[in-house]
Amino acid sequence: MKTTYTAVVRTIGGRTGHVKSSDGVLDLEIHPPREMGGPEGDYTNPEQLFAAGYSACFGSALHHVALLRRIRIEPDVTARVSMFRKNENEGFHLAVELDIRLPGMDRQQAEELADAAHQLCPYSNAIRNNVEVKRKVITETEENA
C-alpha cells in the first residue's frame, strides 16, 4: 500500500483541550458542546471536525463520480454528526446524516451519483457497517417546493 498523504494532528487534553496540526494550519481550542456539559463560548468539538471532514470528502467523491460521467456539478453536502447512547451500559455511538444537494438533476440520476460517491468516499468506507449513515438527496425541484 502506497500512502498518498498523512494528516498529523496532536490533541492535548482530550475533549477539553487543544488540537494542532503538524503544519500549524489547524490550531484550535476544543471543548464538549454545551449539550454535553461544555462551557459557554465559541469552541469547536470533535463531532464538528468529523462533520467538516466527511462533508468535504463526500463532496469530492461526488464531484469525481460526476466528472467520470461527464456531468458538471458543484457539490453541496451538509453533514450532521450525532452522538448517542443506546443504553446506559454502553459507550457512545455516532450517527451521520448527509444532505446531498444536486440542483438541476432528475431524482434517479442524483441518487445514482450519491450511491456511487458513497462507495468511493474514504470516510464512508472507513465507517461502513459501524456507523449508520442516512443520505438524503435533494434536487432543485424539491428545494423549491
Side-chain angles (χ1 to χ4, degrees):
M1 175 173 77
K2 181 180 176 192
T3 301
T4 304
Y5 170 75
T6 300
V8 179
V9 177
R10 182 178 183 191
T11 302
I12 299 173
R15 286 184 161 275
T16 303
H18 195 91
V19 297
K20 186 173 183 179
S21 61
S22 59
D23 61 5
V25 172
L26 182 67
D27 190 356
L28 302 167
E29 188 173 340
I30 61 172
H31 288 280
R34 280 179 228 121
E35 297 85 348
M36 294 179 64
E40 295 292 324
D42 295 327
Y43 303 104
T44 193
N45 58 65
E47 292 70 38
Q48 286 179 334
L49 296 171
F50 186 80
Y54 197 175
S55 62
C57 189
F58 195 93
S60 289
L62 198 60
H63 188 256
H64 180 75
V65 169
L67 283 176
L68 291 176
R69 297 176 186 199
R70 296 193 164 109
I71 300 169
R72 290 183 146 207
I73 64 166
E74 183 175 357
D76 182 347
V77 180
T78 301
R80 287 179 198 78
V81 175
S82 301
M83 185 179 291
F84 67 95
R85 285 181 125 173
K86 292 181 181 178
N87 60 56
E88 290 300 315
N89 298 325
E90 286 192 35
F92 287 96
H93 299 270
L94 295 177
V96 176
E97 294 178 32
L98 297 175
D99 287 350
I100 304 153
R101 289 172 182 76
L102 294 167
M105 285 192 174
D106 67 43
R107 162 117 334 256
Q108 181 177 345
Q109 184 182 40
E111 291 283 352
E112 287 173 3
L113 281 179
D115 289 345
H118 190 55
Q119 295 305 310
L120 181 66
C121 175
Y123 276 68
S124 293
N125 290 330
I127 64 174
R128 186 168 284 118
N129 300 321
N130 189 39
V131 174
E132 180 181 2
V133 178
K134 293 182 181 176
R135 292 175 288 136
K136 179 181 178 186
V137 176
I138 303 164
T139 63
E140 189 172 62
T141 306
E142 293 167 0
E143 278 192 314
N144 295 332

